[in-house]
Amino acid sequence: MPALVLLGAQWGDEGKGKATDLLGGSVDYVVRYQGGNNAGHTVVVGDQKYALHLLPSGILSPGCTPVIGNGVVVDPSVLLSELSGLNARGVDTSKLLISGNAHIITPYNVTVDKVTERFLGKRKIGTTGRGIGPTYADKINRVGIRVQDLYDESILTQKVEAALDVKNQMLTKLYNRRAIAVEQVVEELLEYADKLRPYVADTVLVLNQALEDDKVVLFEGGQGTLLDIDHGTYPFVTSSNPTAGGACTGAGVGPTKISRVIGILKAYTTRVGSGPFPTELFDADGEALRRIGGERGVTTGRDRRCGWFDAVIARYATRVNGLTDFFLTKLDVLTGWDEIPVCVAYEIDGRRVEELPYSQTDFHHAKPVYEYLPGWSEDITKAKSFSDLPKNAQNYVKALEEMSGAPISAIGVGPGRDETIEINSFL
């Protein structure tokens, strides 16, 4: 049985939660392998809408085991609050597993994130201010706090002391802030130990045994390809690897065990935060996409920047992830336009460029080269098969598939769980 990776093929917010939820009833495990509560998924089940930030979307599927892998950074207060909210709505969260090797977002990580971003001023990255980046920095600097450290007070205290030795110098002398007391941080973190204990497990062992037992495991990325720390629009990126390779390191499974990599593509393009965005719209079309598509960040509450579909980015995502399929979402949002522009290449200093520029400078100066496809006015939200779509909508999907370099196996025609056209099964 397959191990699948499902990830965003643009700048995030493509509708990964809906895609994961659609597969949730057919898989045994759903695994978040990177990021933290800076990633948001909206899942609509019937007339109920669920906003998930840290939990895998599979938490909403009975019989599915949701897993937070070692590559995720965990804010315990956010996690417990999210679990409490779902429990209050009758969702069973008892099957959740959390890697003991996942890193903890501490109060001082959040403080450092916020003061650093303010200090950068106009050069700010556009982070969510939730401590994600500083926590990953601590991980790389080997002063991070892991979930398992909550169960050894001596080790926890030593690690907090080591981290604050440097951070308090920075907070007091550079940012004119108060020093943070080691004892206060240790006391706060220890309060989470018993509450998290039922969920903590050796998830690497669990997942590999599951694959050996022919269970279906779905690895769910947060954010998107162009926000990858290595392969995104650096420095306007997240602090982890949402690309397919991140599933191996962030969950502890070998690449030979992954059989399919599914990229989620929105039928247009959006971005939250700072950074280059060649097809961004500043006119009535951009506002219409934002309004009709409900383009507001699940986690941040910020309006998303909106633009037309960018096939250059889609081709890049296909290449760096080794995508086998696309799930195209929000096709219904484009209903009503007489013609729909699609970016097929960039113009950079008078040159036509059909692949993502290697140079950051070139990408900042990239101007979209558009082809115009005929639009449609018919309501497509009730479509159950590809043939139910208007001819122009069919042609739009076929054009995007050809430009992007991988087959489109499913199409979202509305926000609901059942408002999806499945062309080829992912399983």
Side-chain angles (χ1 to χ4, degrees):
M1 297 297 285
L4 311 162
V5 179
L6 189 148
L7 52 84
Q10 294 158 314
W11 274 288
D13 305 308
E14 301 95 346
K16 295 180 291 295
K18 177 179 180 178
T20 308
D21 179 62
L22 183 71
L23 293 167
S26 304
V27 302
D28 300 296
Y29 293 81
V30 175
V31 187
R32 272 288 303 276
Y33 59 84
Q34 50 74 224
N37 56 302
N38 57 341
H41 297 319
T42 299
V43 179
V44 179
V45 182
D47 60 353
Q48 295 292 308
K49 180 182 288 188
Y50 298 89
L52 305 176
H53 305 282
L54 188 55
L55 291 169
S57 300
I59 195 105
L60 299 174
S61 299
C64 179
T65 299
V67 179
I68 293 176
N70 57 276
V72 178
V73 291
V74 178
D75 186 322
S77 64
V78 171
L79 176 61
L80 292 169
S81 175
E82 199 165 339
L83 288 169
S84 176
L86 289 179
N87 289 334
R89 297 177 68 178
V91 177
D92 179 14
T93 62
S94 62
K95 287 191 172 186
L96 174 68
L97 299 179
I98 304 170
S99 170
N101 288 339
H103 279 246
I104 294 282
I105 300 173
T106 66
Y108 53 77
N109 292 135
V110 177
T111 299
V112 168
D113 197 1
K114 290 179 178 178
V115 298
T116 303
E117 188 78 345
R118 281 198 292 268
F119 185 79
L120 287 172
K122 66 180 182 180
R123 296 184 302 279
K124 66 183 180 180
I125 303 301
T127 76
T128 58
R130 287 165 167 78
I132 311 297
T135 304
Y136 277 114
D138 280 359
K139 177 178 179 177
I140 298 303
N141 287 326
R142 291 160 291 188
V143 293
I145 310 298
R146 298 190 293 177
V147 170
Q148 61 174 280
D149 297 331
L150 301 180
Y151 305 102
D152 189 319
E153 186 173 349
S154 175
I155 288 178
L156 176 63
T157 303
Q158 291 175 48
K159 288 191 171 185
V160 173
E161 286 175 343
L164 286 179
D165 276 348
V166 175
K167 287 180 174 58
N168 276 336
Q169 294 291 320
M170 180 178 64
L171 287 171
T172 57
K173 296 181 179 179
L174 180 59
Y175 297 123
N176 196 29
R177 296 290 179 126
R178 290 181 181 176
I180 297 172
V182 172
E183 298 78 11
Q184 180 182 343
V185 173
V186 171
E187 181 180 352
E188 180 175 335
L189 293 178
L190 287 175
E191 289 178 357
Y192 298 121
D194 287 340
K195 297 174 183 177
L196 294 177
R197 191 185 298 273
Y199 307 110
V200 180
D202 182 351
T203 57
V204 172
L205 178 61
V206 169
L207 293 172
N208 279 281
Q209 287 181 333
L211 290 169
E212 289 166 9
D213 292 339
D214 289 334
K215 302 295 185 183
V216 182
V217 180
L218 177 64
F219 299 94
E220 174 186 54
Q223 291 90 32
T225 296
L226 274 295
L227 291 179
D228 188 278
I229 186 70
D230 287 295
H231 305 292
T233 50
Y234 190 89
F236 303 99
V237 292
T238 193
S239 302
S240 58
N241 293 109
T243 45
C248 298
T249 55
V253 299
T256 56
K257 296 185 178 179
I258 293 171
S259 55
R260 206 157 183 180
V261 184
I262 305 162
I264 313 303
L265 268 182
K266 197 175 284 185
Y268 47 102
T269 312
T270 62
R271 177 167 196 168
V272 170
S274 306
F277 183 179
T279 67
E280 183 173 9
L281 296 169
F282 302 94
D283 58 9
D285 283 333
E287 183 54 41
L289 288 174
R290 186 177 298 111
R291 174 178 51 80
I292 299 169
E295 296 298 348
R296 181 176 289 269
V298 177
T299 294
T300 64
R302 293 179 289 184
D303 284 343
R304 295 175 186 141
R305 301 156 64 189
C306 295
W308 299 120
F309 185 85
D310 189 330
V312 181
I313 285 173
R315 286 195 293 274
Y316 177 75
T318 301
R319 182 175 298 113
V320 298
N321 291 297
L323 295 180
T324 58
D325 303 82
F326 279 117
F327 187 136
L328 185 70
T329 63
K330 289 198 168 185
L331 183 64
D332 54 300
V333 173
L334 295 180
T335 299
W337 268 272
D338 292 334
E339 61 178 9
I340 304 170
V342 174
C343 174
V344 297
Y346 301 142
E347 181 186 322
I348 303 173
D349 296 331
R351 297 176 292 114
R352 181 185 172 101
V353 176
E354 297 192 356
E355 301 296 343
L356 198 75
Y358 178 75
S359 160
Q360 175 183 337
T361 302
D362 282 351
F363 194 52
H364 273 274
H365 293 136
K367 297 178 181 179
V369 175
Y370 287 118
E371 287 186 5
Y372 295 84
L373 302 178
W376 62 92
S377 59
E378 300 92 330
D379 178 14
I380 66 171
T381 58
K382 301 297 187 293
K384 299 300 180 184
S385 66
F386 188 72
S387 61
D388 290 339
L389 293 174
K391 196 65 178 177
N392 285 348
Q394 293 182 31
N395 291 337
Y396 184 80
V397 172
K398 291 176 182 177
L400 265 53
E401 180 177 71
E402 183 175 347
M403 294 175 188
S404 301
I408 293 174
S409 293
I411 304 167
V413 293
R417 175 183 268 183
D418 58 342
E419 292 177 316
T420 302
I421 296 171
E422 191 169 349
I423 301 173
N424 296 307
S425 174
F426 291 122
L427 296 173

